[in-house]
Amino acid sequence: DQQVKQNSPSLSVQEGRISILNCDYTNSMFDYFLWYKKYPAEGPTFLISISSIKDKNEDGRFTVFLNKSAKHLSLHIVPSQPGDSAVYFCAAARGNDKIIFGKGTRLHILP
Amino acid sequence: GAGVSQSPSNKVTEKGKDVELRCDPISGHTALYWYRQSLGQGLEFLIYFQGNSAPDKSGLPSDRFSAERTGGSVSTLTIQRTQQEDSAVYLCASSETVLNTEAFFGQGTRLTVV
């Protein structure tokens, strides 16, 4: 049973436009959400996180939105740049429990 | 070192052989995770350690998989009698005591079973 779902395996966005990556979760007990970015042949790197007490967190070009009632979060990248092309993993955790990852979305930034 | 270190970076082994993967977490990080990524798949949780104990082993795919951690630092993931379906990138991550903070990943060990 997949507790964290990223339903789009891939996404293509024009350079300079907004990239929106979506993630749904099923466990209402999750209280911390994270986004990771992964380049080929490298380990994932932490990008941005949000606590369940917030509905928005910004860090430069990256903004994460959390909709608890819909059990949905999204990552916005504005403006998209070529270096943003990577696989993005959504992850969730509950208290002191393990981090659960989604299957990832491959983002292609088109020139 | 400053980051999570994994060795070897690549391992090719014959079906039926045992392999041992090593992870050196960031110094002072008490939580350590093992994940694997198979071709075209997401990150699959295997096991995590809090200190030297493993509260959750639910992700280990079979009894051929085992992991240990000693001294609250280095961890080894052992796969016995490897099968071709074990081929994947095995990723280790560590985080500070509170587990719901970001985990820092190593570069992974690419295991190929032939």
Side-chain angles (χ1 to χ4, degrees):
Chain A
D1 179 34
Q2 242 186 300
Q3 296 188 63
V4 178
K5 300 176 186 178
Q6 292 178 258
N7 292 318
S8 299
S10 68
L11 176 68
S12 294
V13 174
Q14 205 77 34
E15 182 179 354
R17 300 283 181 94
I18 178 172
S19 294
I20 300 176
L21 297 111
N22 292 304
C23 177
D24 296 294
Y25 60 95
T26 58
N27 189 343
S28 58
M29 300 298 290
F30 286 140
D31 57 8
Y32 197 74
F33 304 90
L34 312 93
W35 284 94
Y36 282 81
K37 177 179 179 179
K38 187 181 184 301
Y39 292 118
E42 294 184 14
T45 54
F46 170 76
L47 199 54
I48 191 169
S49 63
I50 188 167
S51 164
S52 60
I53 62 173
K54 292 186 168 184
D55 53 20
K56 178 182 172 182
N57 189 26
E58 287 181 84
D59 184 3
R61 296 185 298 113
F62 302 91
T63 302
V64 56
F65 295 92
L66 176 62
N67 182 336
K68 288 188 289 294
S69 60
K71 295 195 187 70
H72 177 84
L73 67 156
S74 60
L75 174 68
H76 292 215
I77 307 173
V78 187
S80 301
Q81 296 175 356
D84 296 331
S85 293
V87 176
Y88 289 79
F89 290 98
C90 171
R94 175 175 72 96
N96 287 340
D97 206 351
K98 59 185 177 288
I99 301 174
I100 305 292
F101 286 85
K103 289 190 180 296
T105 296
R106 184 176 297 278
L107 177 64
H108 299 270
I109 304 302
L110 306 170
Chain B
V4 177
S5 176
Q6 290 187 248
S7 61
S9 55
N10 276 286
K11 176 74 177 177
V12 179
T13 190
E14 290 181 355
K15 179 180 170 181
K17 295 282 180 71
D18 298 351
V19 294
E20 195 172 274
L21 313 180
R22 177 187 167 106
C23 173
D24 279 279
I26 292 172
S27 178
H29 280 192
T30 61
L32 185 148
Y33 302 78
W34 284 98
Y35 290 86
R36 75 175 176 182
Q37 186 177 22
S38 304
L39 190 63
Q41 299 295 313
L43 290 171
E44 177 188 2
F45 168 78
L46 297 178
I47 187 172
Y48 89 85
F49 290 89
Q50 180 64 23
N52 291 334
S53 65
D56 190 343
K57 303 179 183 178
S58 62
L60 294 176
S62 75
D63 58 9
R64 296 185 295 105
F65 287 72
S66 62
E68 64 174 19
R69 189 179 185 196
T70 55
S73 181
V74 172
S75 176
T76 53
L77 176 70
T78 302
I79 310 172
Q80 295 178 308
R81 305 181 303 282
T82 51
Q83 303 294 312
Q84 288 187 327
E85 62 262 28
D86 300 333
S87 296
V89 175
Y90 289 80
L91 289 157
C92 174
S94 70
S95 67
E96 295 179 28
T97 303
V98 177
L99 297 185
N100 63 349
T101 56
E102 61 266 28
F104 297 84
F105 282 83
Q107 294 210 349
T109 294
R110 180 173 296 278
L111 175 66
T112 305
V113 182
V114 297

